[in-house]
Amino acid sequence: MGNTLKAIVAFVPTEECQKYLLEDLEEMPVDKMVDLSGRQLRRLPLHICSFRELVKLYLSDNNLNHLPPELEQLQNLQILALDFNNFKALPLVVCTLKQLCILYLGNNRLCSLPLELRLLQNLKTLWIESNCLQCLPEVVCELRLLKTLHVGSNALRTLPTQLRRLQELRTIWLPGNLLCEFPSVLLDMPFLEVIDVDRNSIRFFPSLAHLPGLKLVIYDHNPCRNAPKVAKGVRRVGRWSEETPEPRKRSGAVIEISFDERPSPPPATKPEPE
């Protein structure tokens, strides 16, 4: 079925048209996973909400801006992908799915997150990149089991001090924001393994050598005059990393060391579902 035809059918709310978009998905798959990505959906077919044993639901790359209250029936759901849609607010029904471990909300139009998000106490992975966030919602700091947080390509200028509560957090992705200073709260999080602050406006990096869990720091494309100091064995990706020395001072002037190739940060792809 071509995308043009899907887009036309998506406007017709009849049961027949919705079944056409579902391509005869009448029974829950044996693997307990439904992937409706890229179907031009404008509403979630209610039939899906009857699959009460469903574990994984992928709704990426559609035209969704709301979800039906019947979604609450999916109490076994562990992975929910809502990225690349038209959500201006997170539907509160999502916050009733208390077994969720992985939630993808990237590439929407979210300016905030509801306080009810705190109910998702099993959440381990949260992707909210490429939205309209000007600050990190403090409710994120109440997700005590969170291990991976991707909040790149927003408009963050700082991080809340409450973030240090997330003692299970291992990876934080912050590329493409408006950070002018390295977030000081990260200096109090010794359990972090990966810090990505690529493409910000940070001019000075404090030492990160005291963070015993750190394995990788990505700081490229910042107007910095120094590289962050790290412990032995920690990989740095950015100016004056392992491949090139930092600029040296001579008669009070800073002499830049030019180089042609810089290591690229790893692609920001979704992790494999656990």
Side-chain angles (χ1 to χ4, degrees), residues 231-249:
K232 185 177 181 181
V234 178
R235 184 187 174 204
R236 298 184 299 179
V237 177
R239 304 182 73 190
W240 316 303
S241 58
E242 286 80 3
E243 291 78 9
T244 57
E246 292 189 36
R248 62 184 184 275
K249 291 185 177 181

Side-chain angles (χ1 to χ4, degrees), residues 46 53 74 81 104 108 137 157 169-170 210 214 229 262:
L46 292 180
E53 300 301 316
L74 303 182
Y104 298 118
N108 280 283
R157 296 181 181 275
L169 194 65
R170 297 295 180 266
H210 67 289
L214 195 61
K229 290 182 170 57
R262 298 181 185 178

